Amino acid sequence: MRKEILILGGGYGGLLSALSARQHLSTEEAGITVVNRVGSHQIITELHRLAAGNVAEKAVALPLEKLLKGKSINVVVGEVQKIDVEGKQVALSNGSSYRYDNLVLALGSETNYFGIPGLQENSLTLKSVADANKVFAHVKERIKAYATSKNKADATFVIGGGGLTGVELVGELADELPDICRQYGVDFADVSLSLVEAMPTILPIFSPELIQRAVSSLEARGVEFLTGLAITEVNGNVVTLKDGRTIETNTLVWTGGVQGSALVGNCGIEVNRGRATVNEHLQSTSHPDVFLAGDCAVVFGPEGRPYPPTAQLAWQMGELVGANIAASIKNFKMDTFKPIFSGTLASLGRKDGIGTIGESGIELKGTPASLMKKASNARYLTHINGLFSLAY
Ligand code: NAD
């Protein structure tokens, strides 16, 4: 009997699950439906560039309908409201509901505000194309306003959080702000661009040498680093730091942390700190008909430490989930998840970057890192295009 596969989320995990499932299952064997909040598959690893106006929206928001055309995969644009894992049904906020035989949860992560007073109400985020567009429009608006107001808060830009998201964003802004200033007749010397990080250093995943390279490259372009200083409160446009100092700014972008999707965390499957736990086949440890892909799940490495929630992990999970659902439907043996780490690359603006390559961690800096980052994006796009042509 034909099975129904319902996939929640059209990001890296969801899209790859759908393509991989269709590659292994004919339309007689299974119907596949992808539900996503928006009509596009978003290349979120490039959002920092969109947020600084350094890339066109069409390069980072790929229409799902167009991507999946002719692949017999239904696309539903809608907001998931309730996941009923006992009744095997999912309700959307528009009133429609979908039953399933196999469910894929690939709803990603959400911004974590850690309960810091005033932070959520008074900051921008960088989790979607809509967020990135908002950041860019806001930055331009503030510079334009400063041209007449000369209010220092309009020319003060603060990024909260020195992980990869915050550093990549500050690098793009450092490159683009001088041009935006010129456009509105503002002297870039009037602009303050700072990154606040609670830990003693930004990007602790890299070696001290690479961290120093990132810091000096960005400082040379006007970025001020305030490290070892957590943001403790935000009151309107006043940001308070751990040492009691305050910064008056009309632009705070919060990139200080992520947490698993609350919908997944609260749907009744087994979770660990809000993220779904999985077995070696990427099935929920409590509900074997539910498979997980991407940031809403937690995968533990051999030393018992969770892998960081990255795009490369999400896409690899998605591919295996599609194949394993097909195997379970056909009563074949399922494969074990064995992630391959190609490394970590951080862009530091248009022309600079740092990174490590492969499991051995060969270090790169400057143009090679920057080019490698572009190549890794191109590789992903080629990869999904390859899968499109392979799907049934
Ligand atoms: P993160 O959790 O990695 O970094 C957040 C940073 O904010 C941390 O350094 C933390 O110490 C800091 N912070 C927390 N509370 C703070 C406070 N109150 N004040 C100041 N600083 C505070 O988050 P992220 O950078 O969004 O990354 C999320 C995941 O996505 C990670 O796994 C990352 O590897 C991945 N990612 C990868 C890339 C890439 O590969 N280029 C790009 C972006 C994100």
Side-chain angles (χ1 to χ4, degrees):
M1 205 181 72
R2 186 178 127 114
K3 301 289 185 186
E4 287 306 323
I5 302 171
L6 182 61
I7 299 171
L8 304 186
Y12 299 103
L15 180 72
L16 272 296
S17 300
L19 287 168
S20 162
R22 184 46 86 222
Q23 209 183 323
H24 294 88
L25 292 163
S26 68
T27 49
E28 288 78 41
E29 289 168 317
I32 302 176
T33 301
V34 177
V35 177
N36 199 38
R37 179 183 280 150
V38 291
S40 59
H41 171 63
Q42 305 195 340
I43 308 297
I44 59 170
T45 51
E46 295 292 299
L47 289 182
H48 52 286
R49 297 180 65 204
L50 185 63
N54 197 9
V55 71
E57 180 175 334
K58 65 179 194 305
V60 294
L62 316 177
L64 278 166
E65 281 288 357
K66 207 167 153 193
L67 279 179
L68 297 172
K69 197 163 179 239
K71 297 292 171 278
S72 304
I73 295 172
N74 307 318
V75 176
V76 175
V77 177
E79 186 82 28
V80 176
Q81 191 172 50
K82 187 165 187 289
I83 303 165
D84 174 2
V85 289
E86 307 309 333
K88 296 188 169 213
Q89 200 154 305
V90 169
L92 305 191
S93 57
N94 64 10
S96 55
S97 65
Y98 296 82
R99 58 155 294 277
Y100 63 81
D101 296 296
N102 282 112
L103 178 67
V104 179
L105 295 175
L107 288 170
S109 60
E110 295 169 2
T111 301
N112 193 342
Y113 295 95
F114 302 108
I116 298 169
L119 180 57
Q120 184 165 0
E121 305 85 297
N122 296 302
S123 63
L124 298 162
T125 52
L126 194 57
K127 292 288 291 168
S128 65
V129 164
D131 289 347
N133 283 333
K134 212 164 153 184
V135 169
F136 184 51
H138 181 92
V139 166
K140 278 199 305 189
E141 218 174 81
R142 282 353 304 156
I143 293 290
K144 187 179 172 194
Y146 179 78
T148 45
S149 72
K150 296 293 171 199
N151 174 1
K152 186 76 186 131
D154 280 330
T156 301
F157 298 88
V158 178
I159 311 301
L164 283 158
T165 308
V167 171
E168 291 196 315
L169 175 62
V170 89
E172 281 319 300
L173 289 176
D175 279 354
E176 298 303 322
L177 269 167
D179 283 347
I180 300 171
C181 285
R182 251 191 305 280
Q183 207 179 319
Y184 293 106
V186 168
D187 184 352
F188 179 60
D190 290 354
V191 168
S192 154
L193 175 59
S194 55
L195 184 146
V196 182
E197 167 55 52
M199 303 301 280
T201 171
I202 60 161
L203 302 179
I205 46 160
F206 291 120
S207 69
E209 195 203 342
L210 286 186
I211 295 170
Q212 192 43 49
R213 162 61 190 239
V215 169
S216 45
S217 163
L218 292 164
E219 279 179 345
R221 281 176 277 152
V223 177
E224 183 188 7
F225 288 95
L226 302 167
T227 48
L229 286 166
I231 291 177
T232 54
E233 192 179 348
V234 187
N235 195 344
N237 76 345
V238 179
V239 179
T240 305
L241 308 186
K242 193 179 151 199
D243 62 355
R245 137 179 26 170
T246 56
I247 307 171
E248 209 178 310
T249 174
N250 287 338
T251 311
L252 168 63
V253 187
W254 176 244
T255 62
V258 294
Q259 58 190 348
S261 146
L263 267 169
V264 173
N266 298 323
C267 76
I269 59 173
E270 194 175 342
V271 294
N272 179 319
R273 296 181 185 193
R275 289 165 74 201
T277 48
V278 290
N279 65 15
E280 71 275 25
H281 308 305
L282 301 180
Q283 290 166 290
S284 155
T285 44
S286 58
H287 291 71
D289 54 336
V290 178
F291 288 74
L292 278 299
D295 297 4
C296 61
V298 56
V299 181
F300 292 94
E303 306 91 37
R305 284 224 302 272
Y307 291 126
T310 59
Q312 55 176 310
L313 195 70
W315 102 4
Q316 291 178 45
M317 290 172 81
E319 284 197 334
L320 185 70
V321 160
N324 276 351
I325 290 179
S328 80
I329 289 173
K330 295 178 176 187
N331 281 323
F332 293 166
K333 195 172 169 293
M334 286 192 269
D335 275 338
T336 294
F337 186 53
K338 291 191 194 103
I340 296 164
F341 292 98
S342 53
T344 305
L345 293 157
S347 82
L348 302 170
R350 278 186 298 227
K351 294 186 191 134
D352 201 6
I354 53 170
T356 55
I357 300 290
E359 309 240 358
S360 56
I362 297 164
E363 296 193 341
L364 289 182
K365 51 188 181 232
T367 311
S370 187
L371 290 175
M372 203 68 187
K373 170 102 187 172
K374 290 189 181 100
S376 123
N377 187 31
R379 193 179 123 236
Y380 174 71
L381 297 174
T382 314
H383 181 72
I384 53 174
N385 270 319
L387 281 180
F388 291 139
S389 54
L390 282 173
Y392 260 94

